[in-house]
Amino acid sequence: MVTYRVPRRAAQAEIEVKRSRFLCTLERVEDEQSARALVDRLRREHWDARHHCSAFVVGTPPVPVERSSDDGEPAGTAGAPMLEVLRGAGLSDTAVVVTRWFGGTLLGAGGLVRAYGDAVRAAVARAGLLERRLRSEVALDLDHGDAGRVESELRSRGVDVLETSYGARVRLLLGVDPEQVGRVEGLLAELTSGGAAPVEVGQRWVDGSPVVE
């Protein structure tokens, strides 16, 4: 099964370290432009903060787009540890911005790495995770008299019915793990006594169940 993870919901989390405030904003994004728009929005909203460090991962495995920014903090102390938290959680289509209000005490490189990483970890925990799965779309046309029975049987056996459309015949659009297409085609042959003519019409990524850890 080909999968990756996305945030279940947008979230914010704030930590304080030696009077410096670190506010992490985490959102699900569709592309790099959306991630950069989030950074710009938070710069406007929190204009009084000294830093708006960011990291994002967008796109599907195995080669998503990854970017990070230290935004004036010492190199490697903010964006990189933030990005590492996203990687460690298996997240994509996700952007995080940590807005820092300086508290007057220097934290040193190690302190900054811990603070920025901890702020992102807190936001990830608050957001929760969803598994996103690659599904093959298999279309099946049936007579009206057979459609209800076949759809019920498919659902009872754990096959996802993505869409049902009615016309001269009933079309079922099934979501199938790519490696399970052959098995489902065999099941359809069984349910329709060999009368089914399923056609693989494409692929899509769909949100699955919440990740429980």
Side-chain angles (χ1 to χ4, degrees):
M1 183 185 298
V2 182
T3 68
Y4 66 94
R5 293 173 173 182
V6 294
R8 189 174 180 183
R9 63 183 71 85
Q12 285 191 321
E14 183 174 325
I15 65 172
E16 184 172 322
V17 182
K18 295 183 180 179
R19 293 186 294 181
S20 279
R21 292 171 53 210
F22 297 82
L23 173 66
C24 180
T25 301
L26 179 152
E27 292 189 7
R28 184 169 171 176
V29 294
E30 295 182 355
D31 50 34
E32 186 170 348
Q33 182 178 357
S34 301
R36 296 192 183 282
L38 174 64
V39 179
D40 292 341
R41 189 188 86 210
L42 292 171
R43 285 189 190 280
R44 293 192 299 270
E45 289 182 7
H46 303 301
W47 54 268
D48 57 333
R50 178 173 290 190
H51 304 283
H52 300 276
C53 303
S54 60
F56 63 84
V57 183
V58 294
T60 57
V63 284
V65 176
E66 300 179 340
R67 299 283 187 272
S68 65
S69 169
D70 295 312
D71 193 38
E73 294 283 28
T77 62
M82 293 166 61
L83 181 58
E84 192 56 39
V85 173
L86 298 183
R87 288 173 177 157
L91 281 163
S92 190
D93 298 343
T94 305
V96 287
V97 181
V98 176
T99 301
R100 181 192 180 191
W101 289 267
F102 182 56
T105 301
L106 296 175
L107 303 183
L112 289 172
V113 168
R114 285 190 296 274
Y116 279 102
D118 287 347
V120 176
R121 275 185 283 272
V124 169
R126 187 165 291 179
L129 305 176
L130 285 176
E131 184 179 71
R132 193 160 168 79
R133 298 177 291 168
L134 180 64
R135 310 291 270 166
S136 291
E137 297 177 316
V138 176
L140 176 68
D141 293 326
L142 297 165
D143 293 334
H144 284 263
D146 295 326
R149 174 185 60 81
V150 172
E151 181 174 352
S152 178
E153 287 282 355
L154 289 170
R155 291 185 185 276
S156 72
R157 301 189 193 200
V159 178
D160 292 338
V161 181
L162 303 177
E163 298 174 12
T164 305
S165 54
Y166 297 90
R169 306 188 80 197
V170 179
R171 167 160 286 203
L172 303 182
L173 186 64
L174 312 179
V176 182
D177 292 335
E179 63 271 23
Q180 294 294 318
V181 170
R183 183 187 70 82
V184 171
E185 288 176 343
L187 174 60
L188 291 169
E190 174 191 332
L191 293 175
T192 63
S193 300
V199 178
E200 189 172 353
V201 295
Q203 291 185 323
R204 72 165 80 172
W205 288 92
V206 299
D207 289 350
S209 303
V211 176
V212 179
E213 294 183 316

